[in-house]
Coordinates of all heavy atoms in Angstrom, one line a residue:
K7 N -13.2 86.1 123.1 CA -12.7 86.0 121.7 C -11.4 86.8 121.5 O -10.5 86.3 120.9 CB -13.8 86.5 120.7 CG -13.3 86.5 119.3 CD -14.4 87.1 118.4 CE -13.8 87.3 117.0 NZ -14.8 87.9 116.1
Y8 N -11.4 87.9 122.2 CA -10.2 88.8 122.0 C -9.2 88.7 123.1 O -8.2 89.4 123.1 CB -10.7 90.3 121.8 CG -11.4 90.5 120.6 CD1 -12.8 90.7 120.6 CD2 -10.8 90.6 119.3 CE1 -13.5 90.9 119.4 CE2 -11.5 90.8 118.2 CZ -12.8 90.9 118.2 OH -13.5 91.1 117.0
G9 N -9.5 87.9 124.1 CA -8.6 87.8 125.3 C -8.6 89.1 126.1 O -7.6 89.5 126.6
K10 N -9.7 89.7 126.2 CA -9.9 91.0 126.9 C -10.9 90.8 128.1 O -11.6 89.9 128.1 CB -10.4 92.1 126.0 CG -9.5 92.3 124.8 CD -8.2 92.9 125.2 CE -7.3 93.2 123.9 NZ -6.0 93.7 124.3
A11 N -10.9 91.9 128.9 CA -12.0 91.9 129.9 C -13.2 92.6 129.3 O -13.1 93.4 128.3 CB -11.5 92.8 131.1
A12 N -14.4 92.3 129.9 CA -15.6 92.9 129.3 C -15.6 94.4 129.3 O -16.1 95.0 128.4 CB -16.8 92.4 130.1
V13 N -14.9 95.0 130.3 CA -14.8 96.4 130.4 C -14.0 97.0 129.2 O -14.3 98.0 128.7 CB -14.3 96.9 131.7 CG1 -12.8 96.6 131.9 CG2 -14.5 98.4 131.9
Q14 N -13.0 96.2 128.8 CA -12.2 96.7 127.6 C -13.1 96.6 126.3 O -13.0 97.5 125.5 CB -11.0 95.8 127.4 CG -9.9 96.0 128.5 CD -8.8 95.0 128.4 OE1 -9.1 93.8 128.6 NE2 -7.6 95.4 128.1
V15 N -13.9 95.6 126.2 CA -14.8 95.6 125.1 C -15.8 96.7 125.1 O -16.1 97.4 124.1 CB -15.6 94.2 125.0 CG1 -16.6 94.2 124.0 CG2 -14.6 93.1 124.8
A16 N -16.3 97.1 126.3 CA -17.2 98.2 126.4 C -16.5 99.5 126.1 O -17.1 100.3 125.3 CB -17.8 98.3 127.9
L17 N -15.3 99.7 126.5 CA -14.6 100.9 126.2 C -14.3 100.9 124.7 O -14.4 102.0 124.0 CB -13.2 100.9 126.9 CG -13.4 101.2 128.4 CD1 -12.0 101.0 129.1 CD2 -13.9 102.6 128.7
R18 N -13.9 99.8 124.1 CA -13.6 99.7 122.6 C -14.9 100.1 121.9 O -14.9 100.8 120.9 CB -13.1 98.3 122.2 CG -12.8 98.2 120.8 CD -11.7 99.1 120.4 NE -11.7 99.4 119.0 CZ -10.8 100.1 118.3 NH1 -9.7 100.5 119.0 NH2 -11.0 100.3 117.1
F19 N -16.0 99.6 122.3 CA -17.3 99.9 121.7 C -17.5 101.4 121.6 O -17.9 102.0 120.6 CB -18.5 99.2 122.4 CG -19.8 99.6 121.9 CD1 -20.4 99.0 120.8 CD2 -20.6 100.6 122.6 CE1 -21.6 99.4 120.4 CE2 -21.8 101.0 122.2 CZ -22.4 100.4 121.0
Q20 N -17.3 102.1 122.7 CA -17.5 103.5 122.8 C -16.5 104.2 121.9 O -16.9 105.2 121.2 CB -17.4 104.0 124.2 CG -18.5 103.5 125.1 CD -18.3 103.9 126.6 OE1 -17.3 104.1 127.0 NE2 -19.5 103.9 127.3
V21 N -15.3 103.8 121.9 CA -14.3 104.4 121.0 C -14.7 104.3 119.5 O -14.6 105.2 118.7 CB -12.9 103.8 121.2 CG1 -11.9 104.2 120.1 CG2 -12.3 104.2 122.5
Q22 N -15.2 103.1 119.2 CA -15.6 102.9 117.8 C -16.8 103.7 117.3 O -17.0 103.9 116.2 CB -15.8 101.4 117.5 CG -14.5 100.6 117.3 CD -14.7 99.2 116.9 OE1 -14.0 98.3 117.4 NE2 -15.6 98.9 116.0
I23 N -17.7 104.1 118.3 CA -18.8 104.9 117.9 C -18.5 106.4 118.2 O -19.3 107.3 118.2 CB -20.1 104.5 118.6 CG1 -20.0 104.6 120.1 CG2 -20.6 103.1 118.1 CD1 -21.4 104.4 120.8
E24 N -17.2 106.6 118.4 CA -16.6 108.0 118.5 C -17.0 108.8 119.7 O -17.3 110.0 119.7 CB -16.8 108.8 117.2 CG -16.2 108.1 116.0 CD -16.3 108.8 114.7 OE1 -17.1 109.8 114.6 OE2 -15.7 108.4 113.7
I25 N -17.2 108.1 120.8 CA -17.4 108.7 122.1 C -16.1 108.8 122.8 O -15.3 107.9 122.9 CB -18.4 107.8 123.0 CG1 -19.8 107.9 122.3 CG2 -18.4 108.4 124.4 CD1 -20.8 107.0 123.0
V26 N -15.8 110.0 123.3 CA -14.6 110.2 124.1 C -14.7 109.5 125.4 O -15.7 109.7 126.1 CB -14.3 111.7 124.3 CG1 -13.1 111.9 125.2 CG2 -14.2 112.4 123.0
V27 N -13.7 108.6 125.7 CA -13.8 107.8 126.9 C -12.7 108.2 127.8 O -11.5 108.4 127.4 CB -13.5 106.3 126.5 CG1 -13.5 105.4 127.7 CG2 -14.6 105.8 125.5

Side-chain angles (χ1 to χ4, degrees):
K7 174 183 173 183
Y8 293 105
K10 303 291 182 181
V13 69
Q14 288 171 297
V15 173
L17 291 171
R18 181 64 205 186
F19 173 81
Q20 292 176 336
V21 167
Q22 280 188 222
I23 60 172
E24 299 181 352
I25 292 178
V26 176
V27 178

